[in-house]
Amino acid sequence: MVQSAKPISSPVPVVWYPSLAVLMLAIGLVITASFFIYEATSSRKSRSLAKEVVTGAVASVFLGFGSLFLLLASGVYV
């Protein structure tokens, strides 16, 4: 007996792609702005490497997924 293959589908509805792109890119840009403000306003001795790495990683994740959903919303399937 041959079983029919199920098509691959997205776990996120396609209608949500533009909203997710805008939301995640906005959050990523706000976190990036706070990172730059932190770097510009804190002295060299009072900076925390852990805070810088965590802030950079969180901003990177949001900007990465935001870019992915922006590409998906515009029809570039990656």
Side-chain angles (χ1 to χ4, degrees), residues 36-43 46-47:
F36 283 126
I37 291 170
Y38 174 75
E39 289 294 320
T41 58
S42 63
S43 67
S46 68
R47 291 183 187 158

PDB file of all heavy atoms in Angstrom, residues 36-43 46-47:
ATOM      1  N   PHE A  36      23.377  50.582  21.092  1.00  0.00           N
ATOM      2  CA  PHE A  36      24.250  51.700  20.723  1.00  0.00           C
ATOM      3  C   PHE A  36      24.218  52.804  21.775  1.00  0.00           C
ATOM      4  O   PHE A  36      25.254  53.414  22.082  1.00  0.00           O
ATOM      5  CB  PHE A  36      23.861  52.265  19.357  1.00  0.00           C
ATOM      6  CG  PHE A  36      24.325  51.415  18.209  1.00  0.00           C
ATOM      7  CD1 PHE A  36      23.433  50.983  17.258  1.00  0.00           C
ATOM      8  CD2 PHE A  36      25.647  51.042  18.085  1.00  0.00           C
ATOM      9  CE1 PHE A  36      23.851  50.191  16.193  1.00  0.00           C
ATOM     10  CE2 PHE A  36      26.089  50.256  17.034  1.00  0.00           C
ATOM     11  CZ  PHE A  36      25.180  49.834  16.083  1.00  0.00           C
ATOM     12  N   ILE A  37      23.062  53.074  22.347  1.00  0.00           N
ATOM     13  CA  ILE A  37      22.972  54.084  23.401  1.00  0.00           C
ATOM     14  C   ILE A  37      23.778  53.647  24.621  1.00  0.00           C
ATOM     15  O   ILE A  37      24.487  54.450  25.236  1.00  0.00           O
ATOM     16  CB  ILE A  37      21.503  54.360  23.764  1.00  0.00           C
ATOM     17  CG1 ILE A  37      20.828  55.081  22.608  1.00  0.00           C
ATOM     18  CG2 ILE A  37      21.391  55.172  25.046  1.00  0.00           C
ATOM     19  CD1 ILE A  37      19.329  55.194  22.742  1.00  0.00           C
ATOM     20  N   TYR A  38      23.681  52.362  24.970  1.00  0.00           N
ATOM     21  CA  TYR A  38      24.456  51.831  26.099  1.00  0.00           C
ATOM     22  C   TYR A  38      25.950  51.982  25.844  1.00  0.00           C
ATOM     23  O   TYR A  38      26.708  52.363  26.730  1.00  0.00           O
ATOM     24  CB  TYR A  38      24.093  50.364  26.325  1.00  0.00           C
ATOM     25  CG  TYR A  38      24.931  49.668  27.365  1.00  0.00           C
ATOM     26  CD1 TYR A  38      24.736  49.909  28.714  1.00  0.00           C
ATOM     27  CD2 TYR A  38      25.926  48.764  26.999  1.00  0.00           C
ATOM     28  CE1 TYR A  38      25.502  49.279  29.683  1.00  0.00           C
ATOM     29  CE2 TYR A  38      26.698  48.126  27.958  1.00  0.00           C
ATOM     30  CZ  TYR A  38      26.489  48.386  29.286  1.00  0.00           C
ATOM     31  OH  TYR A  38      27.257  47.760  30.227  1.00  0.00           O
ATOM     32  N   GLU A  39      26.393  51.676  24.635  1.00  0.00           N
ATOM     33  CA  GLU A  39      27.814  51.783  24.303  1.00  0.00           C
ATOM     34  C   GLU A  39      28.294  53.231  24.330  1.00  0.00           C
ATOM     35  O   GLU A  39      29.429  53.511  24.717  1.00  0.00           O
ATOM     36  CB  GLU A  39      28.081  51.177  22.924  1.00  0.00           C
ATOM     37  CG  GLU A  39      27.960  49.674  22.879  1.00  0.00           C
ATOM     38  CD  GLU A  39      29.015  48.974  23.697  1.00  0.00           C
ATOM     39  OE1 GLU A  39      30.180  49.414  23.683  1.00  0.00           O
ATOM     40  OE2 GLU A  39      28.667  47.997  24.364  1.00  0.00           O
ATOM     41  N   ALA A  40      27.435  54.153  23.898  1.00  0.00           N
ATOM     42  CA  ALA A  40      27.852  55.553  23.815  1.00  0.00           C
ATOM     43  C   ALA A  40      27.827  56.253  25.162  1.00  0.00           C
ATOM     44  O   ALA A  40      28.603  57.191  25.383  1.00  0.00           O
ATOM     45  CB  ALA A  40      26.953  56.301  22.832  1.00  0.00           C
ATOM     46  N   THR A  41      26.948  55.819  26.054  1.00  0.00           N
ATOM     47  CA  THR A  41      26.788  56.559  27.312  1.00  0.00           C
ATOM     48  C   THR A  41      27.539  55.955  28.498  1.00  0.00           C
ATOM     49  O   THR A  41      27.705  56.629  29.506  1.00  0.00           O
ATOM     50  CB  THR A  41      25.298  56.672  27.683  1.00  0.00           C
ATOM     51  OG1 THR A  41      24.742  55.363  27.796  1.00  0.00           O
ATOM     52  CG2 THR A  41      24.537  57.473  26.642  1.00  0.00           C
ATOM     53  N   SER A  42      27.955  54.709  28.412  1.00  0.00           N
ATOM     54  CA  SER A  42      28.660  54.108  29.547  1.00  0.00           C
ATOM     55  C   SER A  42      30.165  54.264  29.373  1.00  0.00           C
ATOM     56  O   SER A  42      30.680  54.287  28.258  1.00  0.00           O
ATOM     57  CB  SER A  42      28.297  52.630  29.688  1.00  0.00           C
ATOM     58  OG  SER A  42      28.720  51.914  28.554  1.00  0.00           O
ATOM     59  N   SER A  43      30.845  54.383  30.499  1.00  0.00           N
ATOM     60  CA  SER A  43      32.303  54.509  30.439  1.00  0.00           C
ATOM     61  C   SER A  43      32.925  53.143  30.144  1.00  0.00           C
ATOM     62  O   SER A  43      32.284  52.099  30.302  1.00  0.00           O
ATOM     63  CB  SER A  43      32.842  55.055  31.756  1.00  0.00           C
ATOM     64  OG  SER A  43      32.646  54.111  32.782  1.00  0.00           O
ATOM     65  N   SER A  46      32.835  50.729  33.158  1.00  0.00           N
ATOM     66  CA  SER A  46      31.560  50.284  33.725  1.00  0.00           C
ATOM     67  C   SER A  46      30.770  49.365  32.786  1.00  0.00           C
ATOM     68  O   SER A  46      29.677  48.941  33.131  1.00  0.00           O
ATOM     69  CB  SER A  46      30.702  51.499  34.090  1.00  0.00           C
ATOM     70  OG  SER A  46      30.305  52.175  32.917  1.00  0.00           O
ATOM     71  N   ARG A  47      31.302  49.079  31.626  1.00  0.00           N
ATOM     72  CA  ARG A  47      30.595  48.208  30.679  1.00  0.00           C
ATOM     73  C   ARG A  47      30.633  46.756  31.128  1.00  0.00           C
ATOM     74  O   ARG A  47      31.574  46.310  31.770  1.00  0.00           O
ATOM     75  CB  ARG A  47      31.229  48.307  29.289  1.00  0.00           C
ATOM     76  CG  ARG A  47      31.012  49.634  28.637  1.00  0.00           C
ATOM     77  CD  ARG A  47      31.590  49.647  27.249  1.00  0.00           C
ATOM     78  NE  ARG A  47      31.508  50.990  26.692  1.00  0.00           N
ATOM     79  CZ  ARG A  47      32.255  51.440  25.715  1.00  0.00           C
ATOM     80  NH1 ARG A  47      33.160  50.647  25.156  1.00  0.00           N
ATOM     81  NH2 ARG A  47      32.120  52.654  25.275  1.00  0.00           N
TER      82      ARG A  47
END
